[in-house]
Amino acid sequence: MTEQEAGLRARLVSVGVDLVTQEGAQALSLREIARRAGVSHGAPRRYFPTHLELLSAIAREGFAELGAEVAEELRGGKEPGVGEEPGGGDVGPRAQLAALARIYVDFALSHRGMYELMFRHDLLESNSLGLRETSLPLFNSLVDLVSRVRPDVRAPDVAGALWANLHGIAQLWGWGSLQLATGADGVEPLVRAALDAHLGPEAR
């Protein structure tokens, strides 16, 4: 692929990211992406033979952004090594899980169109374009932290249940349902309750 072709491919993905951010996943037609990128309607097919492949490339950008936020948080909470200065606050796995949960829910609420697309694996080609390699490390980080907090459980099961709980909180809060049902004025107490439900109450 020439530099010009790589630039056009990247532009199509970038236009798709902007479009899903502004208008949601339902707006991601090949025709509209091509129009906004200033190319012919058939141009995207040269780089993405199917619509699913273009959607997957767009979703990959969302996973990369979320993954970078999580990685930065986990690096910031790393236990100090020999000769290193300790970081501030609680840097244990429970605190890291709480931070990861907040990042996940915050991302879902502030990137609603992208978030909706990212987890629609019925719409995506998860085994191509590096999408699986971009998305699975997030879950693996969750599993690792759960295993350190709850060594007595099968960590993938608890991590999966916690993820589903956080996903539900994000979706229901975004729709306005949880505010109506619980009277909560913020999502943080619900995130804490989900962590306590799956990990046990936090030690005081």
Side-chain angles (χ1 to χ4, degrees), residues 10-174:
R11 186 160 87 250
L12 290 168
V13 174
S14 177
V15 166
V17 170
D18 290 342
L19 186 58
V20 76
T21 299
Q22 296 165 9
E23 301 184 25
Q26 73 283 351
L28 290 173
S29 69
L30 286 174
R31 181 177 293 269
E32 182 60 16
I33 291 173
R35 186 186 73 80
R36 294 195 182 204
V39 298
S40 69
H41 294 158
R45 296 286 188 187
R46 294 179 57 190
Y47 310 100
F48 303 99
T50 69
H51 189 203
L52 291 181
E53 288 192 39
L54 179 52
L55 292 181
S56 299
I58 294 167
R60 187 179 188 277
E61 295 300 306
F63 277 114
E65 182 178 350
L66 177 57
E69 291 185 31
V70 169
E72 182 179 359
E73 176 63 37
L74 295 184
R75 281 195 303 271
K78 182 181 177 182
E79 296 285 358
V82 176
E84 294 181 344
E85 291 295 323
D90 184 358
V91 294
R94 177 65 181 250
Q96 290 181 316
L97 264 175
L100 191 155
R102 286 193 298 271
I103 289 170
Y104 183 87
V105 173
D106 287 347
F107 183 92
L109 295 176
S110 59
H111 300 72
R112 293 190 63 185
M114 177 63 82
Y115 178 77
E116 177 188 353
L117 176 66
M118 286 163 58
F119 294 101
R120 286 294 304 274
H121 281 261
D122 56 327
L123 298 180
L124 304 176
E125 293 284 352
S126 62
N127 61 343
S128 65
L129 300 170
L131 181 58
R132 183 173 294 169
E133 290 77 8
T134 310
S135 60
L136 286 181
L138 291 169
F139 183 67
N140 292 338
S141 294
L142 186 63
V143 171
D144 176 63
L145 290 171
V146 167
S147 70
R148 291 162 60 194
V149 176
R150 292 287 310 275
D152 58 314
V153 302
R154 186 176 183 276
D157 293 343
V158 174
L162 176 58
W163 174 25
N165 200 165
L166 295 172
H167 188 90
I169 289 171
Q171 288 283 52
L172 292 172
W173 190 269

